[in-house]
Amino acid sequence: MSTIHKINELKKQRDAVILAHYYVNDEVQAIADYVGDSFYLSKAATNIQAKTILFCGVSFMGESAKILNPKKTVIMPDLEADCPMAHMADSAKIEQLRREYPDLAVVCYINSTAKLKTYSDVCVTSSNAVKIVKALPNQHIYFIPDENLGRYVASQVPEKHIILNEGYCHVHKDITAASVQKTKEAHPGAEILVHPECTKDVTELADYIGSTSGIIDYAEQSKAEEFIICTELGVLYELKQKNPDKRFYSAGHQQCCPDMKRITLEKVAEALEQMTNFVEMEEELRIRANRPLERMLELG
Ligand code: 13P
Ligand code: SF4
């Protein structure tokens, strides 16, 4: 039996649906029921009828699905797939800033541990961060953990005081302005599409800045025929499917998230067969982490 056939059989037996982020391997995206950016996937997770959610992504994604759907069984193909940035903020600093600014709102990128979410007022993703920060009544905002997304939000919401934290995504940080410019010299007609996790000098070169789905939608609607993609290159699978006649170039880097790439078809089949890789957490932690996520769904 092929691995794909096995997965389809096991899905029926386990009453499971598969959610996958655009950064996982192409063949995993191909067998998923829902593929999307972080916001789409968290919304999708709340509307699932099946008993089991198999989340193909990194741990904060599976955790968020479980926090929002405590009654569902949530499993992951590889529990070790983790986003390093999700850990890059510190509760002591949050408490210190809360003392300093009584009206502080702690805005937490969904790329964060459940524990960090419990210290936060609202979660955001790259597709709704600007909208949510604008909508908050608070003047002082502490944006965790991603400095680059925080800086991008600050540039779009200049009327607020946004305090940044020193977290980063190593995949996006490694994309340099010099190599984006070099790629542009080789393809002068190409539009530069940039994820807001990239550094400031890269976002300054952008024709478009947005989440993974924002980038995919922009490329589809644009009249341009060539694009330089400044994000993890898993997005190429969807970009090429939707735009077979357009050309896509990397920004001259590997642009590969090793954690996302841990998810393979074999591990998907194994997780469904063994039903052991459960996402679990204490109920008290779940309830506290759920508040900022629910607030994001209301405001986003
Ligand atoms: P989005 O798909 O929401 O743009 O998130 C990017 C990301 O880094 C996920 O790990
Ligand atoms: Fe984390 Fe970056 Fe990988 Fe996304 S691409 S999971 S932000 S390390």
Coordinates of all heavy atoms in Angstrom, one line a residue, residues 52-134:
T52 N -10.5 14.1 15.2 CA -9.1 14.3 15.4 C -8.5 15.3 14.4 O -8.9 15.3 13.2 CB -8.4 12.9 15.1 OG1 -9.0 11.9 15.9 CG2 -6.9 13.0 15.2
I53 N -7.6 16.2 14.9 CA -6.9 17.1 14.0 C -5.5 16.7 14.0 O -4.8 16.5 15.0 CB -7.0 18.6 14.6 CG1 -8.4 19.1 14.6 CG2 -6.1 19.5 13.8 CD1 -8.6 20.4 15.3
L54 N -5.0 16.4 12.8 CA -3.5 16.1 12.6 C -2.9 17.4 12.1 O -3.2 17.9 11.0 CB -3.3 15.0 11.6 CG -1.8 14.7 11.3 CD1 -1.0 14.2 12.5 CD2 -1.7 13.7 10.2
F55 N -2.0 18.1 12.9 CA -1.5 19.4 12.5 C -0.1 19.2 12.0 O 0.8 18.8 12.7 CB -1.5 20.3 13.7 CG -1.7 21.7 13.3 CD1 -2.7 22.5 13.7 CD2 -0.8 22.3 12.4 CE1 -2.9 23.8 13.2 CE2 -0.9 23.6 11.9 CZ -2.0 24.3 12.4
C56 N 0.1 19.5 10.7 CA 1.4 19.5 10.1 C 2.1 20.8 10.1 O 1.8 21.7 9.3 CB 1.3 19.0 8.6 SG 0.6 17.3 8.5
G57 N 2.9 21.0 11.1 CA 3.5 22.3 11.3 C 4.4 22.2 12.6 O 4.8 21.1 13.0
V58 N 4.7 23.4 13.2 CA 5.6 23.3 14.4 C 4.7 23.4 15.6 O 3.5 23.7 15.6 CB 6.6 24.5 14.3 CG1 7.7 24.2 13.3 CG2 6.0 25.8 14.1
S59 N 5.3 23.2 16.8 CA 4.5 23.0 18.0 C 3.6 24.1 18.4 O 2.4 23.8 18.8 CB 5.4 22.6 19.2 OG 6.6 23.1 19.1
F60 N 3.9 25.4 18.2 CA 2.9 26.4 18.6 C 1.7 26.3 17.8 O 0.6 26.7 18.3 CB 3.6 27.8 18.5 CG 3.7 28.4 17.1 CD1 2.6 29.0 16.5 CD2 4.9 28.3 16.4 CE1 2.7 29.5 15.2 CE2 5.0 28.9 15.1 CZ 3.9 29.4 14.5
M61 N 1.7 25.7 16.6 CA 0.5 25.6 15.8 C -0.4 24.5 16.3 O -1.6 24.7 16.5 CB 0.9 25.3 14.3 CG 1.7 26.4 13.7 SD 2.2 26.1 12.0 CE 2.6 27.7 11.5
G62 N 0.2 23.3 16.6 CA -0.6 22.2 17.2 C -1.1 22.7 18.6 O -2.3 22.4 18.9
E63 N -0.3 23.4 19.3 CA -0.8 23.9 20.7 C -1.9 24.8 20.5 O -2.9 24.7 21.3 CB 0.4 24.7 21.3 CG 1.1 23.9 22.4 CD 2.3 24.8 23.0 OE1 2.3 26.1 22.8 OE2 3.1 24.2 23.6
S64 N -1.9 25.7 19.6 CA -3.0 26.7 19.4 C -4.3 26.0 19.0 O -5.3 26.3 19.5 CB -2.6 27.7 18.3 OG -1.5 28.5 18.7
A65 N -4.1 24.9 18.1 CA -5.3 24.2 17.7 C -5.9 23.5 19.0 O -7.1 23.4 19.1 CB -4.9 23.1 16.7
K66 N -5.1 23.0 19.9 CA -5.6 22.3 21.1 C -6.2 23.3 22.0 O -7.3 23.0 22.6 CB -4.4 21.5 21.7 CG -4.8 20.7 23.0 CD -5.7 19.6 22.6 CE -6.3 18.8 23.8 NZ -7.2 17.8 23.4
I67 N -5.6 24.4 22.2 CA -6.1 25.5 23.1 C -7.5 25.9 22.7 O -8.4 26.0 23.5 CB -5.1 26.7 23.1 CG1 -3.8 26.3 23.8 CG2 -5.7 27.9 23.9 CD1 -2.7 27.3 23.6
L68 N -7.6 26.1 21.4 CA -8.9 26.5 20.8 C -10.0 25.4 20.8 O -11.2 25.7 20.7 CB -8.8 27.1 19.4 CG -8.0 28.5 19.4 CD1 -7.5 28.8 18.0 CD2 -8.9 29.6 19.9
N69 N -9.5 24.2 20.8 CA -10.4 23.0 20.6 C -10.1 21.9 21.6 O -9.7 20.8 21.3 CB -10.3 22.4 19.2 CG -10.5 23.3 18.2 OD1 -11.6 23.6 17.8 ND2 -9.4 23.9 17.7
P70 N -10.3 22.2 22.9 CA -9.9 21.2 23.9 C -10.6 19.8 23.8 O -10.0 18.9 24.2 CB -10.3 21.9 25.3 CG -11.3 23.0 24.9 CD -11.0 23.4 23.5
K71 N -11.7 19.8 23.2 CA -12.4 18.5 23.1 C -11.9 17.6 22.0 O -12.2 16.4 21.9 CB -13.9 18.7 22.9 CG -14.6 19.4 24.1 CD -16.1 19.1 24.3 CE -16.6 19.6 25.6 NZ -17.0 21.0 25.5
K72 N -11.2 18.2 21.1 CA -10.6 17.4 19.9 C -9.3 16.8 20.3 O -8.6 17.3 21.1 CB -10.3 18.3 18.7 CG -11.5 19.1 18.2 CD -12.4 18.4 17.3 CE -13.6 19.2 16.9 NZ -14.7 18.4 16.5
T73 N -9.1 15.6 19.7 CA -7.8 15.0 19.8 C -6.9 15.7 18.8 O -7.2 15.7 17.6 CB -7.9 13.5 19.5 OG1 -8.8 12.9 20.4 CG2 -6.5 12.8 19.6
V74 N -5.8 16.3 19.3 CA -4.8 17.0 18.3 C -3.5 16.2 18.4 O -3.0 15.9 19.4 CB -4.6 18.4 18.7 CG1 -3.6 19.1 17.7 CG2 -5.9 19.2 18.7
I75 N -3.1 15.7 17.2 CA -1.8 15.0 17.1 C -0.9 15.7 16.1 O -1.4 16.5 15.2 CB -2.0 13.5 16.8 CG1 -2.8 13.3 15.5 CG2 -2.7 12.8 17.9 CD1 -2.8 11.9 15.0
M76 N 0.4 15.5 16.2 CA 1.4 16.1 15.3 C 2.3 15.0 14.8 O 2.7 14.1 15.6 CB 2.2 17.2 16.0 CG 1.3 18.3 16.5 SD 2.2 19.7 17.0 CE 2.7 20.5 15.5
P77 N 2.7 15.1 13.5 CA 3.6 14.1 13.0 C 5.0 14.0 13.7 O 5.6 13.0 13.8 CB 3.8 14.5 11.5 CG 2.7 15.4 11.2 CD 2.3 16.1 12.5
D78 N 5.4 15.2 14.3 CA 6.7 15.2 14.9 C 6.7 16.2 16.0 O 6.7 17.4 15.8 CB 7.8 15.6 13.9 CG 9.2 15.5 14.5 OD1 9.3 15.6 15.8 OD2 10.2 15.2 13.8
L79 N 6.6 15.8 17.3 CA 6.5 16.7 18.4 C 7.7 17.5 18.6 O 7.7 18.5 19.4 CB 6.1 15.9 19.7 CG 4.7 15.3 19.7 CD1 4.5 14.5 21.0 CD2 3.6 16.4 19.7
E80 N 8.8 17.1 18.0 CA 10.1 17.9 18.2 C 10.2 19.1 17.2 O 11.1 19.9 17.3 CB 11.3 17.0 17.9 CG 11.3 15.7 18.6 CD 11.9 15.9 20.0 OE1 13.0 16.3 20.1 OE2 11.2 15.7 21.0
A81 N 9.3 19.2 16.3 CA 9.3 20.3 15.3 C 8.9 21.5 16.1 O 7.7 21.6 16.5 CB 8.4 20.0 14.1
D82 N 9.8 22.4 16.3 CA 9.5 23.6 17.2 C 10.0 24.8 16.6 O 11.1 24.8 15.8 CB 10.2 23.3 18.6 CG 9.7 24.3 19.6 OD1 8.7 25.0 19.4 OD2 10.3 24.3 20.7
C83 N 9.4 26.0 16.8 CA 9.9 27.2 16.3 C 10.8 27.9 17.3 O 10.3 28.3 18.4 CB 8.7 28.1 16.0 SG 9.1 29.8 15.6
P84 N 12.1 28.1 17.0 CA 12.9 28.7 18.1 C 12.4 30.1 18.5 O 12.5 30.4 19.7 CB 14.3 28.8 17.3 CG 14.2 27.9 16.2 CD 12.8 27.8 15.8
M85 N 11.8 30.9 17.6 CA 11.4 32.2 18.0 C 10.3 32.1 19.0 O 10.1 33.1 19.8 CB 10.9 32.9 16.8 CG 10.4 34.3 17.1 SD 10.1 35.3 15.7 CE 8.8 34.5 14.9
A86 N 9.5 31.1 19.1 CA 8.4 30.9 20.0 C 8.8 31.1 21.4 O 8.0 31.4 22.3 CB 7.7 29.6 19.8
H87 N 10.1 30.9 21.7 CA 10.6 30.9 23.1 C 11.3 32.2 23.4 O 11.8 32.4 24.5 CB 11.6 29.8 23.3 CG 11.0 28.4 23.0 ND1 10.5 27.6 24.0 CD2 10.8 27.8 21.8 CE1 10.0 26.5 23.4 NE2 10.2 26.6 22.1
M88 N 11.4 33.1 22.5 CA 12.3 34.3 22.6 C 11.6 35.5 23.3 O 11.7 36.6 22.7 CB 12.9 34.7 21.2 CG 13.8 33.7 20.7 SD 14.4 34.3 19.1 CE 15.3 32.9 18.4
A89 N 11.0 35.3 24.4 CA 10.5 36.5 25.2 C 10.5 36.0 26.6 O 10.6 34.8 26.9 CB 9.1 36.9 24.7
D90 N 10.4 37.0 27.5 CA 10.7 36.8 28.9 C 9.7 37.4 29.8 O 9.3 38.6 29.7 CB 12.2 37.4 29.1 CG 12.6 37.6 30.5 OD1 11.9 37.1 31.4 OD2 13.6 38.4 30.6
S91 N 9.1 36.6 30.7 CA 8.0 37.1 31.5 C 8.4 38.2 32.5 O 7.6 39.1 32.8 CB 7.3 35.9 32.3 OG 8.3 35.4 33.1
A92 N 9.7 38.2 32.9 CA 10.1 39.2 33.9 C 10.1 40.6 33.2 O 9.6 41.6 33.8 CB 11.6 38.9 34.3
K93 N 10.5 40.6 31.9 CA 10.4 41.9 31.2 C 9.0 42.4 31.0 O 8.7 43.6 31.1 CB 11.1 41.7 29.8 CG 11.1 42.8 28.9 CD 12.2 43.9 29.1 CE 12.0 45.0 28.2 NZ 12.9 45.9 27.9
I94 N 8.1 41.4 30.7 CA 6.7 41.8 30.6 C 6.2 42.4 31.9 O 5.5 43.5 31.8 CB 5.8 40.5 30.2 CG1 6.3 39.9 28.8 CG2 4.3 40.8 30.2 CD1 5.6 38.6 28.4
E95 N 6.5 41.8 33.0 CA 6.0 42.3 34.3 C 6.6 43.7 34.6 O 5.9 44.6 35.0 CB 6.3 41.3 35.4 CG 5.3 40.2 35.4 CD 5.7 38.9 36.0 OE1 6.8 38.9 36.7 OE2 5.1 37.8 35.8
Q96 N 7.9 43.8 34.2 CA 8.5 45.1 34.4 C 7.8 46.2 33.6 O 7.5 47.3 34.1 CB 10.0 45.0 34.0 CG 10.8 46.3 34.2 CD 11.8 46.5 33.1 OE1 12.5 45.5 32.7 NE2 11.9 47.6 32.5
L97 N 7.5 45.9 32.3 CA 6.9 46.9 31.5 C 5.4 47.2 31.9 O 4.9 48.3 31.8 CB 6.9 46.5 30.0 CG 8.3 46.6 29.4 CD1 8.3 45.9 28.0 CD2 8.7 48.1 29.2
R98 N 4.8 46.2 32.5 CA 3.4 46.4 32.9 C 3.4 47.4 34.1 O 2.5 48.2 34.3 CB 2.8 45.1 33.4 CG 2.3 44.2 32.2 CD 1.2 43.3 32.6 NE 0.8 42.3 31.6 CZ 0.0 42.5 30.6 NH1 -0.6 43.7 30.4 NH2 -0.3 41.5 29.7
R99 N 4.5 47.3 35.0 CA 4.6 48.2 36.1 C 4.8 49.6 35.6 O 4.3 50.6 36.0 CB 5.7 47.8 37.0 CG 5.3 46.6 37.9 CD 6.3 46.4 39.1 NE 7.6 46.0 38.6 CZ 8.0 44.8 38.4 NH1 7.1 43.8 38.5 NH2 9.2 44.5 37.9
E100 N 5.7 49.7 34.5 CA 6.1 51.0 34.0 C 4.9 51.7 33.2 O 4.8 52.9 33.3 CB 7.2 50.8 33.0 CG 8.4 51.8 33.1 CD 9.5 51.3 32.3 OE1 10.1 50.2 32.6 OE2 9.9 52.0 31.3
Y101 N 4.2 50.9 32.5 CA 3.1 51.5 31.7 C 1.7 50.9 32.1 O 1.4 49.8 31.6 CB 3.3 51.2 30.2 CG 4.6 51.8 29.6 CD1 5.7 51.0 29.5 CD2 4.6 53.2 29.3 CE1 6.9 51.5 29.0 CE2 5.8 53.7 28.8 CZ 6.9 52.9 28.6 OH 8.1 53.4 28.1
P102 N 1.0 51.5 32.9 CA -0.3 50.9 33.4 C -1.2 50.5 32.3 O -2.0 49.6 32.5 CB -0.9 52.0 34.4 CG 0.3 52.8 34.8 CD 1.2 52.8 33.6
D103 N -1.2 51.2 31.2 CA -2.2 50.8 30.1 C -1.6 49.9 29.1 O -2.1 49.7 28.0 CB -2.8 52.1 29.4 CG -1.9 52.5 28.2 OD1 -0.7 52.4 28.3 OD2 -2.5 52.8 27.2
L104 N -0.4 49.3 29.4 CA 0.3 48.4 28.4 C -0.6 47.3 27.9 O -1.3 46.6 28.7 CB 1.5 47.8 29.1 CG 2.5 47.1 28.1 CD1 3.3 48.1 27.4 CD2 3.4 46.1 28.9
A105 N -0.6 47.0 26.6 CA -1.1 45.8 26.0 C 0.0 45.0 25.5 O 0.9 45.5 24.8 CB -2.1 46.1 24.9
V106 N 0.1 43.7 26.0 CA 1.1 42.8 25.5 C 0.5 42.1 24.3 O -0.5 41.3 24.4 CB 1.6 41.8 26.6 CG1 2.6 40.8 26.1 CG2 2.1 42.6 27.8
V107 N 1.1 42.3 23.1 CA 0.6 41.7 21.9 C 1.6 40.6 21.5 O 2.8 40.8 21.3 CB 0.5 42.8 20.8 CG1 0.1 42.2 19.5 CG2 -0.5 43.9 21.2
C108 N 1.0 39.4 21.4 CA 1.9 38.2 21.3 C 1.7 37.6 19.9 O 0.5 37.2 19.6 CB 1.5 37.3 22.4 SG 2.5 35.8 22.5
Y109 N 2.7 37.6 19.1 CA 2.6 36.9 17.8 C 2.3 35.4 18.1 O 2.8 34.8 19.1 CB 4.0 36.9 17.2 CG 4.2 36.5 15.7 CD1 3.1 36.4 14.9 CD2 5.4 36.2 15.2 CE1 3.2 36.1 13.6 CE2 5.6 35.9 13.9 CZ 4.5 35.8 13.1 OH 4.7 35.4 11.8
I110 N 1.4 34.8 17.3 CA 1.0 33.4 17.5 C 2.2 32.5 17.6 O 2.1 31.4 18.2 CB -0.1 33.0 16.5 CG1 -0.8 31.8 17.0 CG2 0.5 32.8 15.1 CD1 -2.1 31.5 16.2
N111 N 3.3 32.9 16.9 CA 4.6 32.1 17.0 C 5.2 32.2 18.4 O 6.2 32.9 18.6 CB 5.6 32.6 16.0 CG 5.1 32.4 14.5 OD1 3.9 32.6 14.3 ND2 6.1 32.2 13.6
S112 N 4.5 31.6 19.4 CA 4.9 31.7 20.8 C 4.5 30.5 21.5 O 3.5 29.9 21.1 CB 4.3 33.0 21.4 OG 2.9 33.0 21.1
T113 N 5.1 30.2 22.7 CA 4.7 29.1 23.5 C 3.3 29.4 24.1 O 3.0 30.6 24.3 CB 5.7 28.8 24.6 OG1 5.8 30.0 25.4 CG2 7.1 28.4 24.0
A114 N 2.6 28.3 24.6 CA 1.4 28.5 25.3 C 1.6 29.4 26.6 O 0.9 30.2 26.9 CB 0.8 27.2 25.7
K115 N 2.8 29.1 27.2 CA 3.1 29.9 28.4 C 3.2 31.4 28.2 O 2.7 32.2 28.9 CB 4.5 29.3 28.9 CG 4.9 29.9 30.2 CD 4.5 29.0 31.4 CE 4.9 29.6 32.7 NZ 3.9 29.6 33.7
L116 N 3.9 31.7 27.1 CA 4.1 33.2 26.8 C 2.7 33.8 26.5 O 2.4 34.9 26.8 CB 5.0 33.4 25.5 CG 6.5 33.5 25.8 CD1 7.2 33.7 24.5 CD2 6.7 34.7 26.7
K117 N 1.8 33.0 25.8 CA 0.5 33.5 25.5 C -0.3 33.9 26.8 O -1.0 34.9 26.9 CB -0.3 32.5 24.7 CG 0.2 32.4 23.3 CD -0.7 31.4 22.5 CE -0.2 31.3 21.0 NZ 1.0 30.5 20.8
T118 N 0.0 33.1 27.9 CA -0.7 33.4 29.2 C -0.4 34.8 29.7 O -1.1 35.3 30.5 CB -0.4 32.4 30.3 OG1 0.9 32.5 30.6 CG2 -0.7 31.0 29.8
Y119 N 0.8 35.4 29.4 CA 1.1 36.7 29.9 C 0.6 37.8 29.0 O 0.9 39.0 29.2 CB 2.7 36.8 29.9 CG 3.3 35.9 30.9 CD1 4.0 34.8 30.5 CD2 3.2 36.1 32.3 CE1 4.6 33.9 31.4 CE2 3.8 35.3 33.2 CZ 4.5 34.2 32.7 OH 5.1 33.3 33.6
S120 N -0.1 37.4 27.9 CA -0.4 38.4 26.9 C -1.9 38.8 26.9 O -2.7 38.1 27.4 CB -0.1 37.8 25.5 OG 1.3 37.3 25.6
D121 N -2.2 40.0 26.3 CA -3.5 40.4 26.2 C -4.2 40.0 24.9 O -5.4 39.8 24.9 CB -3.5 42.0 26.2 CG -3.0 42.5 27.6 OD1 -3.7 42.2 28.6 OD2 -1.9 43.0 27.6
V122 N -3.4 39.9 23.9 CA -4.0 39.4 22.6 C -3.0 38.8 21.7 O -1.8 39.2 21.8 CB -4.7 40.7 21.9 CG1 -3.7 41.7 21.5 CG2 -5.5 40.2 20.6
C123 N -3.4 37.8 21.0 CA -2.4 37.2 20.0 C -2.7 37.8 18.6 O -3.8 38.4 18.3 CB -2.7 35.7 19.9 SG -2.0 34.8 21.3
V124 N -1.7 37.8 17.8 CA -1.8 38.2 16.4 C -1.1 37.3 15.5 O -0.2 36.5 15.9 CB -1.3 39.7 16.2 CG1 -2.0 40.7 17.0 CG2 0.2 39.7 16.5
T125 N -1.4 37.3 14.2 CA -0.6 36.6 13.2 C 0.0 37.7 12.3 O -0.5 38.9 12.4 CB -1.3 35.6 12.4 OG1 -2.2 36.3 11.5 CG2 -2.1 34.6 13.3
S126 N 0.8 37.3 11.3 CA 1.3 38.4 10.4 C 0.2 39.0 9.5 O 0.4 40.1 9.0 CB 2.5 37.8 9.6 OG 2.1 36.7 8.9
S127 N -0.9 38.2 9.3 CA -1.9 38.8 8.5 C -2.9 39.7 9.2 O -3.7 40.4 8.5 CB -2.7 37.7 7.7 OG -3.3 36.9 8.7
N128 N -2.9 39.7 10.5 CA -3.9 40.6 11.2 C -3.3 41.5 12.2 O -4.0 42.3 12.9 CB -5.0 39.7 11.9 CG -4.5 38.8 12.9 OD1 -3.5 39.0 13.5 ND2 -5.1 37.6 13.1
A129 N -1.9 41.5 12.4 CA -1.3 42.2 13.5 C -1.5 43.7 13.4 O -1.9 44.4 14.4 CB 0.2 42.0 13.4
V130 N -1.5 44.3 12.2 CA -1.7 45.8 12.0 C -3.1 46.1 12.4 O -3.3 47.0 13.2 CB -1.3 46.2 10.6 CG1 -1.8 47.7 10.4 CG2 0.2 46.0 10.3
K131 N -4.0 45.4 11.9 CA -5.5 45.6 12.2 C -5.8 45.5 13.7 O -6.4 46.4 14.2 CB -6.3 44.6 11.4 CG -7.8 44.7 11.5 CD -8.5 43.6 10.7 CE -10.0 43.7 11.0 NZ -10.7 42.5 10.5
I132 N -5.2 44.5 14.3 CA -5.5 44.3 15.8 C -4.8 45.4 16.6 O -5.5 46.0 17.5 CB -5.1 42.9 16.2 CG1 -6.1 41.9 15.5 CG2 -5.1 42.8 17.7 CD1 -5.8 40.4 15.8
V133 N -3.6 45.7 16.3 CA -2.9 46.7 17.1 C -3.6 48.1 17.0 O -3.8 48.8 17.9 CB -1.4 46.8 16.8 CG1 -0.7 48.1 17.4 CG2 -0.7 45.6 17.2
K134 N -4.1 48.4 15.7 CA -4.8 49.6 15.5 C -6.1 49.6 16.3 O -6.5 50.7 16.9 CB -5.2 49.8 14.0 CG -4.2 50.5 13.2 CD -4.7 50.8 11.8 CE -3.6 51.5 11.0 NZ -3.8 51.3 9.6

